[in-house]
Amino acid sequence: MSKINVRSPYYIYITEANLDSAILQLHIYTGTQGSRGDVDYSINSTAVGNKITFEISELVRDYIENNFDGSYTSSSVWVDYRMIKTVNGSVNAPTSFVQLAGFDGYGYFSEGANPQNTQTVLQSNKTIYKYSDAPLRLPAHITTSTDFTFLQDGSSIYNTTLSTSTNSNDIIRYVSSESVAGVDSWQDRVVLDSGTIESLDCVKDFLEDVDLYGVDTIYVDNGTTVEVYKVENIEECLDTPYKLTFVNKFGALQDIWFFKRSTLSMNTTQQTYKSNLVVDGSYSINQHQKSVLTKQGNESLTLNSGFYSEDNNEVFKQLFLSEQVWIDYDSETLPVNITSSNLVHKTRLKDKLISYEVSLEFSNDTINNIR
């Protein structure tokens, strides 16, 4: 099945001898594929030189919402269309429906028109870095029955086989060895069971020594090819690791970890006015002459990645190009905006050790002013 990656144009081109015009009937929907309702868009275009080109990406993108609250779910849609052509003055019967899967992804200019991003695993890197006490998730588009095998030290620790589905909720699936949804650490598991974590040095040492989600290799077998993904589990004792989740080039949610030093800062803005302090020919020196009408703050973070392999350069590129990013911060999933605007690609030949610094701001004001 073809894809429509809606951050890039998707062209529907027709040509036919004596073509006068055509109506494009477009259905955009979720649920079971084929369970389309009424026509969402009916677009009429006149032929020029027996040719017509429709572009539908912007229309489809209005129906895709990426609302991430910590749960990894598909945000894709089904897109069906058909044509009603007028040829040499006669209106033809509608054509058969063409069925597409809609992703909030994009292609690069060098990839040409109607980019497809055809791979099973919807990410660009084959080397994955994660915090040692956190689960790993692979976003996947299952077009044929696919087997996922998670290994640690050569032994299989988890295996699952996913088959194709006709439900829009399964267009993108997130494959993980995570046994319980939402459990990202030993601490989460204790809290889920209504337990209490003792703040003792021996408990902290135990938690640091135990890897809840240990995996170092993943095999993905779609029946035609076998792809191998290497996992680097990073332990960090000095700094607090932060996980960013962003919508990548393929329209899937992807995690990227920043392991090293982070800096929190705040910028404030205010509106002021001059007060009239005179009462009965005098004034109080304790009152503000320059008074603040409104004052607001916005917090920002600077994150440092730690050392990454060169094939993750593409991941950082897609992070910088992403329009929707979230951070796991103080046990909350919060939306952020990347404020860094310059990305210098690094190579092991020139830079030896590859690391990146990223600046971001929380996409909300510090003081709650939602009315």
Side-chain angles (χ1 to χ4, degrees):
M1 177 185 298
S2 295
K3 297 180 179 181
I4 170 172
N5 287 288
V6 297
R7 285 188 63 187
S8 291
Y10 189 88
Y11 300 107
I12 300 171
Y13 171 78
I14 59 173
T15 181
E16 187 172 330
N18 301 314
L19 179 64
D20 299 320
S21 63
I23 298 174
L24 174 70
Q25 293 184 335
L26 185 63
H27 298 258
I28 308 164
Y29 59 99
T30 57
T32 303
Q33 188 177 28
S35 61
R36 64 187 78 88
D38 295 333
V39 175
D40 291 297
Y41 294 98
S42 185
I43 309 168
N44 196 338
S45 184
T46 302
V48 177
N50 299 323
K51 302 174 184 178
I52 298 176
T53 300
F54 297 94
E55 200 285 298
I56 63 172
S57 281
E58 288 294 334
L59 301 177
V60 177
R61 196 178 188 198
D62 288 341
Y63 288 76
I64 296 179
E65 293 186 13
N66 292 295
N67 296 318
F68 181 63
D69 61 0
S71 299
Y72 294 74
T73 57
S74 175
S75 61
S76 300
V77 296
W78 298 120
V79 181
D80 299 350
Y81 71 86
R82 66 179 179 179
M83 296 284 185
I84 302 176
K85 302 176 186 177
T86 299
V87 180
N88 203 20
S90 298
V91 179
N92 292 357
T95 62
S96 299
F97 277 104
V98 176
Q99 295 182 316
L100 306 171
F103 295 76
D104 195 19
Y106 57 87
Y108 296 131
F109 176 82
S110 58
E111 294 173 319
N114 296 357
Q116 290 299 292
N117 301 338
T118 56
Q119 61 219 58
T120 299
V121 177
L122 300 180
Q123 64 182 48
S124 299
N125 52 312
K126 292 292 184 69
T127 304
I128 302 169
Y129 291 76
K130 75 174 186 70
Y131 186 43
S132 59
D133 194 31
L136 175 148
R137 300 173 183 87
L138 282 184
H141 180 217
I142 309 300
T143 56
T144 62
S145 181
T146 303
D147 185 72
F148 295 82
T149 303
F150 290 67
L151 301 100
Q152 185 178 33
D153 299 327
S155 298
S156 175
I157 60 171
Y158 179 72
N159 178 272
T160 187
T161 300
L162 298 181
S163 300
T164 58
S165 173
T166 59
N167 194 304
S168 61
N169 292 332
D170 295 327
I171 296 178
I172 299 176
R173 277 179 270 185
Y174 295 88
V175 187
S176 173
S177 59
E178 178 184 23
S179 58
V180 181
V183 177
D184 285 355
S185 66
W186 279 106
Q187 292 90 331
D188 288 344
R189 178 173 290 181
V190 173
V191 172
L192 186 67
D193 289 337
S194 301
T196 301
I197 299 175
E198 296 287 347
S199 298
L200 302 175
D201 291 340
C202 59
V203 174
K204 294 178 181 178
D205 292 341
F206 170 76
L207 293 176
E208 291 175 356
D209 291 339
V210 176
D211 189 353
L212 179 60
Y213 296 107
V215 56
D216 55 34
T217 308
I218 304 171
Y219 288 98
V220 180
D221 183 357
N222 64 9
T224 302
T225 60
V226 177
E227 294 183 331
V228 181
Y229 292 82
K230 293 295 184 180
V231 182
E232 297 287 342
N233 293 279
I234 306 299
E235 296 183 3
E236 179 52 53
C237 300
L238 298 178
D239 299 298
T240 301
Y242 287 103
K243 181 186 70 174
L244 296 185
T245 302
F246 67 100
V247 181
N248 66 11
K249 171 187 177 182
F250 305 91
L253 296 169
Q254 182 171 355
D255 296 334
I256 184 169
W257 283 89
F258 290 78
F259 299 101
K260 294 302 181 181
R261 180 177 56 86
S262 62
T263 303
L264 177 67
S265 58
M266 185 176 70
N267 180 54
T268 62
T269 58
Q270 65 181 24
Q271 292 180 309
T272 61
Y273 67 96
K274 283 191 175 182
S275 300
N276 181 7
L277 305 182
V278 178
V279 178
D280 296 332
S282 183
Y283 60 87
S284 171
I285 64 171
N286 305 120
Q287 287 184 276
H288 292 79
Q289 181 186 17
K290 294 182 179 179
S291 298
V292 176
L293 178 64
T294 61
K295 191 163 189 175
Q296 188 54 269
N298 185 247
E299 292 182 310
S300 59
L301 270 175
T302 300
L303 303 178
N304 286 272
S305 66
F307 299 129
Y308 270 77
S309 62
E310 195 168 330
D311 73 333
N312 277 266
N313 282 344
E314 175 64 22
V315 181
F316 284 95
K317 177 180 178 179
Q318 292 175 25
L319 171 65
F320 273 60
L321 290 171
S322 181
E323 295 178 344
Q324 293 175 297
V325 185
W326 297 263
I327 188 172
D328 187 355
Y329 190 81
D330 285 347
S331 301
E332 298 285 349
T333 301
L334 302 175
V336 295
N337 298 318
I338 302 296
T339 55
S340 300
S341 59
N342 184 41
L343 177 67
V344 178
H345 283 275
K346 299 182 179 182
T347 64
R348 193 167 298 278
L349 179 62
K350 293 189 304 179
D351 303 288
K352 306 303 180 185
L353 298 175
I354 298 173
S355 64
Y356 286 100
E357 182 177 275
V358 174
S359 296
L360 55 87
E361 66 178 8
F362 291 92
S363 65
N364 56 272
D365 292 328
T366 303
I367 298 175
N368 184 357
N369 58 4
I370 305 299
R371 291 183 172 87

